[in-house]
Amino acid sequence: MSGTRALEGQVAIVTGGVRRIGKATALALAKDGATVIINALKSRDEAEAAVAEIQAAGGKAVIQLGDVADEKDMADLAARAMKDFGRIDILVNNAAVRGEAAFTEMTLDQWRGVTRTILDGAFVCSRAVLPSMVAARYGRIISMGGVSAHLGAGGRAHVVAAKAGIVGLTRALATEFAAYGITVNCVVPGKIGGQRSHTSGQGIQGQPPVGREGVPEDVADLVHNLCQPRTSYITGQTIHVSGGLFMP
């Protein structure tokens, strides 16, 4: 990692940063000079592997385990970032759980388990970092949406509702914090290939118009671009990375 890097000296938090899109995003930000705090709930081994990969490439990364929907855990994460690095420039709300259940058989616990991590988590994490961003009058928040929130999906009412909520939260925060130099956007992956977690369900069926599945780096590249200082005029947007699977 050499040459001029646009994110040199910045500090980024990536939730769910140990695999797939989260890991690819952490790598992309680190390659551009950011110190990355990789958050996971309890996957320390995977987090250590991700940090080792970043460090092997000359980047900087540390681990902070914690529950994204737990206010104390995320307050501790933000406090550590400020204590160790003195700033928080970027938050990527990527942590999610999914699963499938017929709506009439879905329990309230199943509903809350998904919406808690996806939507409550984005709320808690954003609230934890925004005071430091406001004080610095600069920040980038990117939350991961879901194409099912735009296409609809049977058996995934909890996921669809939570991801649709991310769109609304993005617009609200973008409006409220624009005056402080903070941009807030939502990136919506389409059909991303590779190994999926056991909570992901069957996922999207069929191929998008481009004729291939995406890879995590397709999404990470856009997130990385939205984290740039030069993208100060892009905020409140929901941007799809789906190979044409969904065309707004």
Side-chain angles (χ1 to χ4, degrees):
M1 297 182 184
S2 59
T4 302
R5 299 186 292 183
L7 301 182
E8 193 73 49
Q10 293 198 18
V11 175
I13 296 169
V14 181
T15 70
V18 301
R19 63 179 74 96
R20 290 176 60 81
I21 293 170
K23 180 182 175 183
T25 297
L27 283 163
L29 298 179
K31 285 179 180 178
D32 203 16
T35 296
V36 181
I37 301 174
I38 293 178
N39 161 263
L41 179 60
K42 54 186 178 182
S43 306
R44 179 169 290 278
D45 288 348
E46 289 181 292
E48 289 176 350
V51 167
E53 188 172 344
I54 289 170
Q55 292 175 340
K60 301 176 184 177
V62 297
I63 300 165
Q64 180 81 13
L65 299 184
D67 180 350
V68 293
D70 184 285
E71 292 179 294
K72 182 180 184 305
D73 282 0
M74 293 305 101
D76 288 347
L77 189 157
R80 179 190 178 184
M82 294 303 294
K83 178 177 180 293
D84 292 353
F85 307 112
R87 58 194 295 170
I88 302 170
D89 302 278
I90 297 164
L91 169 66
V92 180
N93 287 312
N94 174 69
V97 294
R98 295 177 180 85
E100 296 181 349
F103 184 72
T104 54
E105 298 172 6
M106 185 179 294
T107 67
L108 189 56
D109 283 345
Q110 286 176 306
W111 172 273
R112 287 176 173 166
V114 168
T115 58
R116 179 185 184 278
T117 297
I118 294 174
L119 187 54
D120 293 358
F123 165 77
V124 170
C125 291
S126 298
R127 196 175 61 174
V129 305
L130 273 164
S132 62
M133 291 182 175
V134 168
R137 301 190 73 83
Y138 180 87
R140 300 286 183 264
I141 297 176
I142 296 93
S143 298
M144 212 60 61
V147 73
S148 63
H150 305 270
L151 294 174
R156 309 192 86 180
H158 42 8
V159 179
V160 171
K163 290 297 191 179
I166 290 291
V167 174
L169 180 64
T170 294
R171 292 171 177 168
L173 296 184
T175 303
E176 188 166 345
F177 293 97
Y180 299 97
I182 299 165
T183 65
V184 188
N185 291 289
C186 174
V187 171
V188 184
K191 186 175 184 179
I192 305 301
Q195 185 176 1
R196 301 168 66 84
S197 73
H198 70 279
T199 66
S200 293
Q202 296 300 310
I204 302 161
Q205 303 303 308
Q207 291 282 33
V210 298
R212 69 168 178 90
E213 294 182 336
V215 295
E217 289 74 16
D218 290 325
V219 183
D221 285 347
L222 177 58
V223 175
H224 168 243
N225 189 57
L226 290 171
C227 289
Q228 299 294 309
R230 68 176 181 270
T231 60
S232 61
Y233 206 59
I234 303 172
T235 195
Q237 301 305 302
T238 298
I239 306 173
H240 292 256
V241 186
S242 68
L245 183 68
F246 177 75
M247 301 184 187

